[in-house]
Every structure is written in structure tokens, then in C-alpha cells.
Amino acid sequence: MKKSMMVILGLVACVPAPVLAQSIPEKAGINSLMGVAPRTEDFIKIATISDMFEIQSSELALQGNDPKLAAFANRMIEDHKKTSAALKDLIQSSNVQVSPPTGIDEAHQDKLDHLRTLHGRDFALQYRADQIAGHEDAVSLFRRYAQSGDNAALKTWAGNTLPTLENHLQMAKNLPQ
């Protein structure tokens, strides 16, 4: 593990500075492995896309006939709409010079497209897996930013939002397998 981490860090050190400005360490998962806080721009982008994915995938879950999935999906839609609105308000009120994305990225779009092809138990299992993975990533992101983020208002908000995300993760893990 130590040797592979050194190789990864060595490769990152060889990447030109303009590429690093595009947050390669965050995209590659290096920051997460090392417990490093994301840049404010990365935090806003990832949190926004995560919320959009949670809402859109949960809207798909409502189309099925599974009451347990529907209850969870309704909660995800409600809570993630609230966090999306709160983040937008915070960006404006804190005069953060970052524009959040207006759509999801290709990786999340691929996940949504895949979910649209599934039905019944196959859908439920994939939705559960996506929710667990997404919330594990979100918990890591918010925890790292709450501990060491560089914008005080966003740092406080991340810390205050973290318990809700941890609860979502536990709820996702409790969905039927």
C-alpha cells in the first residue's frame, strides 16, 4: 500500500501544473485516500453533481412498484433538493466565485442510463449499490471539506450536512438486497 501510494504521488508530481488545476488528485481519488480536503471548486462541483444524481436516480426509483424503494427515494429527493438549494444560497451569500455545474457529468449520466434499462429486482439492486457508493463518496467528501476546507462558510455547512449524509448511507445499506 505504501509503495503504491508513493508511485501515485510520484505520478502526480510529474503532471504539469495546469492539469493539476483541473483537480486530478480529486478525480483520481488520491485526495480521498490521503484524507486531503478537496479544493472549494471541486467540493462545489462534486456536491452539486452528487445531489443531481441522487435526485434523478431516485425519481427513476419512484417509477417502480417497490414501496421500500419509494420511501427511500422520496427522502433522497426531498433532502437532496434542500442541500442543493442551501449550497446555491451559500455560494451566493458567501460571494464564492465558483459557478456550480448545471448538469451531471458523463459518469453519472452513464449510471442513470444503465438504471433506465433495468426493472424489478435488477433495478432495486443497482439503485441500492449506486446509493451506497454515492453516499460513501459524499460522506468522504463532506468530512474532508468540513475538517480542512478553505472556505469557512462552506466548511461549516459541510460539517452540518454530514450527519444527514451519514444517515442516508445507513438507510441505503438497509435497503433490501
Side-chain angles (χ1 to χ4, degrees):
M1 174 73 177
K2 249 185 180 180
K3 190 173 186 175
S4 63
M5 183 59 71
M6 294 303 289
V7 170
I8 291 171
L9 290 174
L11 290 172
V12 169
C14 295
V15 176
V19 174
L20 284 179
Q22 296 174 15
S23 70
I24 295 296
E26 194 64 40
K27 286 180 184 177
I30 295 168
N31 285 354
S32 182
L33 284 173
M34 296 179 61
V36 174
R39 298 179 323 154
T40 296
E41 296 84 1
D42 291 336
F43 176 74
I44 290 170
K45 177 183 178 185
I46 296 167
T48 301
I49 290 172
S50 177
D51 274 350
M52 286 188 273
F53 177 75
E54 297 302 332
I55 292 165
Q56 292 176 34
S57 62
S58 294
E59 287 170 344
L60 290 175
L62 291 178
Q63 296 172 9
N65 293 327
D66 187 329
K68 288 184 181 181
L69 275 188
F72 176 82
N74 278 320
R75 173 80 183 271
M76 293 306 101
I77 292 167
E78 180 182 329
D79 287 357
H80 286 283
K81 282 184 177 182
K82 285 179 185 175
T83 57
S84 292
L87 180 56
K88 285 180 187 175
D89 289 347
L90 190 57
I91 290 169
Q92 290 176 345
S93 67
S94 299
N95 200 25
V96 177
Q97 301 299 314
V98 176
S99 296
T102 57
I104 62 175
D105 60 7
E106 186 177 344
H108 287 90
Q109 185 61 55
D110 289 346
K111 289 180 183 185
L112 284 174
D113 292 344
H114 180 65
L115 277 174
R116 284 186 182 98
T117 68
L118 302 174
H119 303 284
R121 181 165 167 72
D122 291 336
F123 177 90
L125 291 174
Q126 187 61 56
Y127 176 70
R128 179 184 185 274
D130 288 347
Q131 292 299 312
I132 291 171
H135 283 95
E136 286 174 341
D137 291 346
V139 165
S140 170
L141 178 78
F142 277 68
R143 181 174 289 128
R144 289 181 290 120
Y145 199 87
Q147 291 172 346
S148 305
D150 59 5
N151 179 289
L154 285 172
K155 188 175 173 178
T156 298
W157 178 77
N160 291 339
T161 305
L162 186 57
T164 300
L165 296 173
E166 291 169 330
N167 180 259
H168 288 178
L169 176 58
Q170 190 58 48
M171 290 170 60
K173 288 180 176 180
N174 290 336
L175 288 170
Q177 297 185 51

